Amino acid sequence: MSEMAAEKKESCGLFAIFGDPEAVQKTFLGLHALQHRGQESAGIASSDGETIQCYTGMGTVRRVFRAGKSILEKLSNPIAIGHVRYSTSGASKLINSQPFLSEYSHGQVAVAHNGNLINAALLRDEYEAYGSIFKSTSDTEIITHLLAKPTHISKPDQLAHVLNHLQGAYCLLFLFADRIEAARDPYGIRPLCIGLTEKGSYVIASETCAFDAIGAKFIREVEPGEIVRLDQNGLHSRFFVTPETITPAHCTFEHIYFAKQNSSFFGENVHEFRKKLGRRLAIEHPADADVVIPVPDSGTSAAIGYAEQSKIPFDMGMVRSHYVGRTFISPDQKQRELEVKLKLAVVREVVDGKRVVVVDDSIVRGTTTRGKIRAIRLAGAREVHMRVSCPPLRFPCFYGVDFPTKEELLANNRNLEEIKEFLEVDSVGYMPLEGLLSCAVLPPDHYCTACWTGKYKIPVDVAVNKFAVERHQLVMFDETDWE
Ligand code: SF4
């Protein structure tokens, strides 16, 4: 993660495995590999074929399952799903942690969700008006109410019917006692991949890095609009929308920033894609300089590409500490700056007396970037040239990425000269949108670019607060309130 980790956060990571005696242990490992997608809470639900058990807690996977063996042993069953969470909808509370276990007239179901439902508040109003009681403020609970509605249960394909009520970005895992169903929205905004273990068990995960962690191989992605069912007869696929309504809008930001470098989805490997961005950036915005340094970690691949193309030596001018805990992760600006200071340190010997190109994946508010630029100058850099491997961020995301408000974004209402002055750099260069899309393997119209262009493929009411579901104040304390 780059220094801006506290400014833009992913919503969640998903993992599922069917028919493996070590399903729960593998889910733990898979979630651990997906930890970069969310550190606020983690949970695993498992089934022996008849009954579902679930355990969730606040914090990282390691922290939640710190009692280690005993919790994992208690959960030990051959069918399991898991979730790591960062809240884009619903407060960071235990009541909102997932998987979300419920019981309705057809039995138990545990649900795990990655994304953001833009019609969550509307659906919740509708259900509350008919007497439904909600115990969380997360948009995921609404899905369980949709499942339990008698008129939905009577449909020939109940799940497909329910999914057609959802609007927004969603990858979903449903654990029923005897099966797992995984679904991806018709826009395919968030990634969802299918893998296979050596012993022939199917696995599903947000990113393929989770397959690497358990020695499974990647087979393919869950298609936009597809439901994949895993049961004792194997894998079965069906679509819950007609082909004409499938409009791919993959989140470009997944590849630019969120995903791990060893993951592959949207048709290519994340590290290779970022290197391509770096090479293109060097063509778009060359610099007369002595050294190229990345903002680690997510700027590293692009900086390698920039150095390759420009023939300017690459070096690690900043190093990252991996030991800053979540105590420091706070939306408060001062806390954020402190976190950045603790996380990234400048290597004086690399930048002293040099003309330095700094490569990062993106700039959000700009204040933390400016802090780093100042530190690089203090360490003796003669010139600092900022290069960014995506276009200027100007619009909020309604599909599951937690950017600040439009007004807080550095590039909102600022031209390049003003951005350069704000950052206190000698030059600044952003990747143009056409350059970005030309690096991707899929056709340009298969991607979402709304945070740069303001063109939202799933229509949103920008006046509506994306956290509208939070109007319900469920005051329920948990241990995190005393941390
Ligand atoms: S608006 Fe930006 S961050 Fe959100 S889904 Fe689209 S590309 Fe991704």
Side-chain angles (χ1 to χ4, degrees), residues 103-109 147-148 153-155 158 176-177 179:
E103 182 148 351
Y104 70 120
S105 59
H106 274 210
Q108 293 176 296
V109 60
L147 272 174
I153 289 174
S154 61
K155 297 288 172 196
Q158 176 205 2
F176 296 94
R179 67 190 189 280

Side-chain angles (χ1 to χ4, degrees), residues 28 62-74:
F28 172 83
R62 248 179 211 290
R63 185 181 185 281
V64 170
F65 295 96
R66 62 188 179 280
K69 259 182 121 183
S70 58
I71 298 175
L72 295 178
E73 267 169 14
K74 271 187 193 146

Side-chain angles (χ1 to χ4, degrees), residues 100-341:
F100 202 90
L101 179 61
S102 315
E103 182 148 351
Y104 70 120
S105 59
H106 274 210
Q108 293 176 296
V109 60
V111 184
H113 173 209
N114 173 28
N116 194 49
L117 299 181
I118 55 177
N119 63 339
L122 218 65
L123 286 169
R124 186 162 168 152
D125 279 347
E126 200 181 306
Y127 277 75
E128 282 181 337
Y130 281 96
S132 292
I133 293 170
F134 287 81
K135 63 176 187 182
S136 78
T137 56
S138 146
D139 56 356
T140 311
E141 189 180 1
I142 290 152
I143 301 166
T144 61
H145 282 266
L146 286 162
L147 272 174
K149 192 175 177 182
T151 52
H152 294 172
I153 289 174
S154 61
K155 297 288 172 196
D157 189 340
Q158 176 205 2
L159 187 56
H161 182 77
V162 164
L163 294 172
N164 272 295
H165 286 75
L166 307 181
Q167 287 168 17
Y170 55 89
C171 285
L172 288 162
L173 294 176
F174 296 88
L175 172 66
F176 296 94
D178 61 343
R179 67 190 189 280
I180 291 167
E181 308 242 23
R184 193 172 176 207
D185 69 66
Y187 296 85
I189 293 182
R190 305 274 145 236
L192 196 62
C193 308
I194 306 172
L196 192 65
T197 67
E198 273 181 3
K199 291 187 178 159
S201 303
Y202 282 106
V203 196
I204 290 176
S206 297
E207 290 180 37
T208 60
C209 62
F211 301 156
D212 298 343
I214 61 158
K217 70 167 194 270
F218 171 54
I219 303 177
R220 69 170 175 90
E221 294 180 41
V222 175
E223 296 293 326
E226 185 184 14
I227 301 172
V228 167
R229 174 185 167 128
L230 307 180
D231 62 24
Q232 57 183 4
N233 297 315
L235 183 150
H236 320 267
S237 163
R238 67 191 192 277
F239 283 80
F240 60 93
V241 288
T242 53
E244 319 82 72
T245 57
I246 294 172
T247 316
H250 306 311
C251 171
T252 333
F253 229 78
E254 288 276 354
H255 262 171
I256 291 169
Y257 170 76
F258 287 118
K260 251 196 199 159
Q261 287 91 331
N262 60 324
S263 288
S264 297
F265 55 82
F266 302 166
E268 63 187 317
N269 169 259
V270 172
H271 172 64
E272 291 302 326
F273 176 73
R274 290 181 189 167
K275 272 206 304 187
K276 270 193 278 176
L277 289 181
R279 288 195 285 267
R280 177 76 192 228
L281 190 57
I283 295 167
E284 297 281 350
H285 297 289
D288 211 1
D290 305 308
V291 66
V292 175
I293 68 167
V295 177
D297 290 330
S298 58
T300 305
S301 306
I304 292 171
Y306 193 101
E308 273 176 16
Q309 181 70 37
S310 63
K311 310 277 187 260
I312 301 170
F314 170 92
D315 211 335
M316 292 303 292
M318 276 184 262
V319 287
R320 178 170 177 246
S321 166
H322 293 266
Y323 305 105
V324 182
R326 72 179 284 277
T327 318
F328 295 101
I329 297 174
S330 158
D332 169 68
Q333 182 63 26
K334 274 213 169 112
Q335 288 269 17
R336 195 162 35 239
E337 280 167 18
L338 174 63
E339 182 198 11
V340 170
K341 250 187 203 155

Side-chain angles (χ1 to χ4, degrees), residues 12 81 100 232 276 293 348-349 375 385 444 468:
C12 298
I81 66 169
F100 202 90
Q232 57 183 4
K276 270 193 278 176
I293 68 167
R348 177 178 292 275
E349 287 69 14
H385 302 274

Side-chain angles (χ1 to χ4, degrees), residues 189-190 251-253 396-399 401 403 448-452 456:
I189 293 182
R190 305 274 145 236
C251 171
T252 333
F253 229 78
C397 174
F398 291 84
Y399 309 146
V401 173
F403 287 138
C448 173
T449 57
C451 46
W452 300 294
Y456 296 92

Side-chain angles (χ1 to χ4, degrees), residues 7-8 253 364 393 395-397 401-405 409 451 466:
E7 293 185 324
K8 52 189 190 301
F253 229 78
V364 183
L393 288 167
F395 300 91
C397 174
V401 173
D402 187 19
F403 287 138
T405 61
L409 295 170
C451 46
K466 62 180 170 171

